[in-house]
Amino acid sequence: MRIPFVPKNVMVQGDRFDFIQQYRGGGFMLIAGSIYWLLAFALTYVLNETILIKFYIGGGLLVPFLGILFYKLMKMKANPSQYSSLVGFASAITGCCFPVLLLVNELDSTKILPIICIINATHLIILCWIHLEYLYFIMVMMGVCLGMSFIYSIPSEYVHFICLIWGLISLIFGVIIHINSKIPLKGYDYQIIDKVNSI
């Protein structure tokens, strides 16, 4: 989906276009993330609270491995790119927030899931720019609003339902982005330009 505030006739560097096309807009990583959230929802009814909170905080480390697994299963291939490093840095935001989650756990463990949801959503905003895909921006807004709702409005006994909601949102958006990016940059009248070598 085209970003409304970006001109339709954008110029895209060749390596960036290749990255968007070869990684299919990054949809497979959203699908991998949805597995963590849906699994967290299911485990709510199985694990005791102490182990469950540890899974909430550390379970997100499974997502990169699930993403690699999906990447292999889908038989995707991509050239080395500076943009893959940028996506990696953006994903590291969630890891850097680990001390925040430990603090939240000490103050009020019922707020951990909404905070993780907000952190998870906000790291997607860089993908909006990288892939020129407005659905990422919509996801950011939905994730932040969802997290805030569970912090300030929805009773804490229902907090585990944020896993189900955000998991389904991630799954649906991941599938849509993966399908749409089969034809990259829909809605744009883009022009691919070669990278200019600087001296």
Side-chain angles (χ1 to χ4, degrees), residues 6 8-22 79-84 86 129-132 184-185 188-198:
V6 171
K8 290 186 71 172
N9 54 336
V10 293
M11 290 187 293
V12 182
Q13 289 185 345
D15 60 340
R16 183 176 179 184
F17 180 83
D18 290 341
F19 177 81
I20 295 170
Q21 185 176 45
Q22 292 167 353
N79 301 324
S81 171
Q82 60 183 337
Y83 296 102
S84 57
L86 187 56
W129 175 80
I130 292 174
H131 293 289
L132 290 172
L185 303 179
Y188 294 93
D189 297 325
Y190 60 89
Q191 178 183 354
I192 300 175
I193 57 174
D194 291 329
K195 189 174 182 180
V196 179
N197 293 323
S198 58

Side-chain angles (χ1 to χ4, degrees), residues 28-29 32 63-73:
F28 70 98
M29 285 302 294
V63 175
F65 298 103
L66 290 171
I68 293 170
L69 179 62
F70 284 137
Y71 182 83
K72 298 292 185 184
L73 290 175

Side-chain angles (χ1 to χ4, degrees), residues 116-157:
I116 293 175
C117 181
I118 292 171
I119 293 169
N120 181 249
T122 51
H123 99 278
L124 298 174
I125 199 163
I126 189 68
L127 301 183
C128 178
W129 175 80
I130 292 174
H131 293 289
L132 290 172
E133 177 57 72
Y134 194 54
L135 288 178
Y136 280 112
F137 184 79
I138 295 172
M139 273 194 77
V140 172
M141 295 299 102
M142 291 176 71
V144 171
C145 292
L146 183 63
M148 296 297 283
S149 297
F150 274 89
I151 290 173
Y152 293 109
S153 302
I154 300 172
S156 59
E157 58 263 32

